[in-house]
């Protein structure tokens, strides 16, 4: 009765593991670039030589290894890249001769089933798809049924008992879904004294070779073949390629910006207004224009006079400099600066002063971008003053970029002082 309960329990455990083969979901492994699906279930078949003698010593019987053939199959669930759970099934015959070499003893393994944990010691791989070499060790527990016959005398039949399977081996990855499996197992018989007595030193070995087939999507690799080092190497190569593409795009954008900068800030008709702000390109030489580059309705005769700049005039300009603000990274003047700029425009109209506008930046970013931004900001101030009635021919707008700092660029306060537009009356 106990024997039947034990056998039933063992079979239920093994079948319970294999019954999930077609109900499982393929897990994913996360890397720096996302998730990749990996196959975790596999099946295999193997065949080899059974022997009463083992590498542990005790070569006390004359084993007939080449007549002692074993064969079996297994179902495996890979839990981690280095750890799997395997259900093994084995049949075969173990043949020996007695000391006089005349009588043959045959121990038949009618069936055996075991559940073992398989630990991958290493993964020698150059990619994450196929493992070149995976050495492993395994151990677990099993249950077996055995017959024994000495010569023509049947010692017993269908005797059952527990055994402990242990083993070492290695696998060779030949494709994404196929591995060659080579192993050497030693099985220790732990129960049924009758069975133990017919096996030399209560153990037998099994040297075998076989094939393992991964289940699931053929495009996905096996979890046990996954190599973190190989994956890092692959992802680093992809990251380097992406960086090279980004650098190439940045160089193309910089070349385009340089070309556009030269085009925008040129003054093809020499009227004092850059092409970007010139709404009337191609005006004749000597034409008096407004801040947008269009001819004034009634050209004025400009008479140079000696002017006296007072402290009050300088204060108007100083207030305009202090209150001048632009949108971040742009040449758009903020509305809070209009009041002080209006006073500067009134001063230019009233006293017919000339004004030099010099745009400056800190050294943050590329020099060519800063040159363009400083020039555009000076031109924006000029355009605004002209829109308030100032004479465009008496206003000069120049951009110096980061070339003329008045403070250090190593601190935030210093960089703030360097981002400015200077007003010079004359």
């Amino acid at each position: 009765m106990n024997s039947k309960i034990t056998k039933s329990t063992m079979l239920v455990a093994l079948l319970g593991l294999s019954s999930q083969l077609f109900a499982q979901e393929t897990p994913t492994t996360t890397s720096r670039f996302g998730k990749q699906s990996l196959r975790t279930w596999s099946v295999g078949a193997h065949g080899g030589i059974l022997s009463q003698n083992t590498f542990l010593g005790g070569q006390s019987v004359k084993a007939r290894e080449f007549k002692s053939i074993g064969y079996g199959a297994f179902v495996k669930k890979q839990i981690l890249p280095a750890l799997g759970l395997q259900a093994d099934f084995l049949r075969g015959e173990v043949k020996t001769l007695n000391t006089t070499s005349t009588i043959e003893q045959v121990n038949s393994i009618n069936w055996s089933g075991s559940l073992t944990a398989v630990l991958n010691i290493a993964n020698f791989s150059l990619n994450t798809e196929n493992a070149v070499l995976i050495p492993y060790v395994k151990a677990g527990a099993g249950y077996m049924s055995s017959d024994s016959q000495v010569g023509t005398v049947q010692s017993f039949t269908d005797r059952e008992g527990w055994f402990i399977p242990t083993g070492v081996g290695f696998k060779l990855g030949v494709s994404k879904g196929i591995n060659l499996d080579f192993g050497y197992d030693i099985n220790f018989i732990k129960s049924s004294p009758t069975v133990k007595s017919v096996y030399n030193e209560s153990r037998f070995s099994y040297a075998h070779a076989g094939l393992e087939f991964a289940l699931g999507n053929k495009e996905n690799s096996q979890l046990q073949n996954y190599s973190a080092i190989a994956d890092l190497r692959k992802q680093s190569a992809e990251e380097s390629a992406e960086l090279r593409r980004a650098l190439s795009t940045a160089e193309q954008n910089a070349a385009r910006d340089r070309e556009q900068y030269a085009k925008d800030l040129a003054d093809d008709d020499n009227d004092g207004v850059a092409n970007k702000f010139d709404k009337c390109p191609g005006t004749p030489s000597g034409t008096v224009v407004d801040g947008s580059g269009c001819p004034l309705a009634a050209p004025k005769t400009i008479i140079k006079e000696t002017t006296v700049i007072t402290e009050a005039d300088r204060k108007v300009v100083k207030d305009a400099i202090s209150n001048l603000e632009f949108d971040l990274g742009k040449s758009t003047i903020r509305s809070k600066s209009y009041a002080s700029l209006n006073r500067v425009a009134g001063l230019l109209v009233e006293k017919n002063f000339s004004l030099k506008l010099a745009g400056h930046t800190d050294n943050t970013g590329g020099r060519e971008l800063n040159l363009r931004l400083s020039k555009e900001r000076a031109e924006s101030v000029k355009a605004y003053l002209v829109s308030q009635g100032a004479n465009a021919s008496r206003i000069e707008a120049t951009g110096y970029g980061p070339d003329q700092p008045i403070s250090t660029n190593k601190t935030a306060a210093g960089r703030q002082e360097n981002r400015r537009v200077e007003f010079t009356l004359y």
Side-chain angles (χ1 to χ4, degrees), residues 244-266:
R244 286 193 296 270
R245 287 192 293 270
L247 289 175
S248 177
T249 301
E251 290 173 357
Q252 293 173 3
N253 291 341
R256 181 195 60 204
D257 290 345
R258 286 193 295 269
E259 181 180 349
Q260 190 63 39
Y261 168 77
K263 180 179 178 181
D264 289 345
L265 296 187

Side-chain angles (χ1 to χ4, degrees), residues 31-33 36 230-240:
S31 65
R32 288 182 296 166
F33 292 87
Q36 53 179 318
D231 189 38
L232 178 61
R233 174 176 165 269
K234 178 180 178 181
Q235 302 295 356
S236 297
E238 293 176 357
E239 190 176 50
S240 298

Side-chain angles (χ1 to χ4, degrees), residues 271 273 278 280 283-284 286-302 349 352 382-383 385-395:
D271 61 357
V273 180
D278 197 340
C280 299
T283 54
T287 303
V288 179
V289 298
D290 58 18
S292 63
C294 294
L296 293 174
K300 299 178 182 179
T301 302
I302 300 174
V349 173
N352 206 26
K382 176 180 177 179
L385 294 175
V386 172
S387 71
Q388 300 303 309
N391 189 339
S393 63
R394 283 187 172 272
I395 303 175

